[in-house]
Amino acid sequence: MPKVTIKLNEKGLVPAIAQDARTGEVLMLAYMSKDSLERTMDSGEAWFYSRSRQELWHKGETSGNNIKVHSIAADCDGDTLLLRSEPTGPVCHTGAKTCFFRDLEKENMDFQQAQDSIHVLEELTQVIQERKATMPADSYVAGLLKEGPDRVAQKIVEEAGETAIAAVKNDREALVKETADLWFHSLMLLASRDISPNEVWEELKRRRR
């Protein structure tokens, strides 16, 4: 049997469509990693990869509505999978039989474009570099960078402590805000030592491999 090449995206994932093997109805679309695909094949039940939680998840682990997988096929380009399946209950988290239950017409459409988080960090990096180059008198970034890496590092310690406290207190809003502060000052610390965030991305990619 010839090998089938599965093309993973830059995050190591491939979209997978679950289809009811009896009716042909499309049930849901999710993403699979190499590990979740292999676990699906080994167990006979659908395993996916949660992009929000960044972990494997067994479909139905909370609701009890599993998806039994009869067979898996790749499309002609190898960049999408089709799971011919048998659902044991409603598939959608809303309780609907399938996730595709809302009919579209021009009059009822609304659009929301996702913002790439990496782009936000890139924009922040550009702002920091611009402030570093021009050193405007009224800029917080310029003022802190002017004090030097030691002062920026001190801010990192302060922000890390506040982030940890928010987590311990289970203060969701504070944790989000303090983490944003921590990440922002981390970018400033890199800039103070003339290090590009790209070096950090590459290190993370190296560790992932």
Side-chain angles (χ1 to χ4, degrees):
M1 180 180 295
K3 285 189 175 181
V4 178
T5 299
I6 299 171
K7 298 177 183 177
L8 305 177
N9 64 18
E10 67 280 359
K11 296 182 179 179
L13 305 176
V14 60
I17 300 168
Q19 178 188 42
D20 192 313
R22 298 164 296 182
T23 66
E25 187 174 23
V26 174
L27 301 173
M28 64 176 289
L29 181 145
Y31 284 81
M32 283 184 151
S33 63
K34 178 177 180 292
D35 290 340
S36 66
L37 176 56
E38 291 177 346
R39 188 167 296 193
T40 297
M41 291 178 165
D42 291 339
S43 68
E45 293 187 346
W47 282 78
F48 299 107
Y49 185 87
S50 171
R51 294 175 295 169
S52 59
R53 301 195 306 270
Q54 296 189 1
E55 64 182 10
L56 299 185
W57 62 283
H58 181 202
K59 175 59 181 170
E61 61 187 349
T62 301
S63 66
N65 298 323
N66 306 116
I67 294 180
K68 298 183 182 300
V69 179
H70 294 176
S71 64
I72 303 175
D75 73 344
C76 56
D77 294 322
D79 58 7
T80 305
L81 302 179
L82 178 66
L83 280 57
R84 300 185 183 94
S85 314
E86 179 184 344
T88 61
V91 169
C92 184
H93 72 281
T94 64
K97 180 181 177 182
T98 168
C99 291
F100 297 93
F101 61 88
R102 298 185 293 177
D103 293 330
L104 282 183
E105 296 181 4
K106 281 188 177 181
E107 293 76 15
N108 73 347
M109 291 192 301
D110 189 20
F111 295 89
Q112 183 179 32
Q113 184 171 348
Q115 187 173 24
D116 192 334
S117 56
I118 291 296
H119 289 168
V120 174
L121 294 178
E122 289 176 348
E123 289 174 5
L124 284 175
T125 299
Q126 291 173 3
V127 170
I128 292 170
Q129 291 296 338
E130 189 272 335
R131 299 292 189 273
K132 182 181 178 182
T134 60
M135 284 293 183
D138 59 347
S139 168
Y140 168 79
V141 172
L144 190 57
L145 289 175
K146 188 175 181 180
E147 294 185 53
D150 289 355
R151 175 58 183 141
V152 183
Q154 183 182 352
K155 283 295 296 181
I156 291 288
V157 174
E158 294 173 6
E159 299 298 348
E162 292 172 0
T163 301
I165 291 172
V168 171
K169 290 183 176 180
N170 196 23
D171 187 335
R172 182 184 182 87
E173 182 178 357
L175 180 56
V176 170
K177 292 180 177 179
E178 296 299 344
T179 300
D181 286 341
L182 178 59
W183 289 5
F184 177 68
H185 286 88
S186 295
L187 291 175
M188 289 184 61
L189 185 61
L190 292 174
S192 73
R193 289 301 190 189
D194 297 320
I195 297 175
S196 168
N198 289 332
E199 295 185 49
V200 179
W201 310 150
E202 290 304 318
E203 175 62 18
L204 290 173
K205 289 179 182 178
R206 184 189 66 77
R207 295 184 184 186
R208 189 172 183 274
R209 289 193 294 266

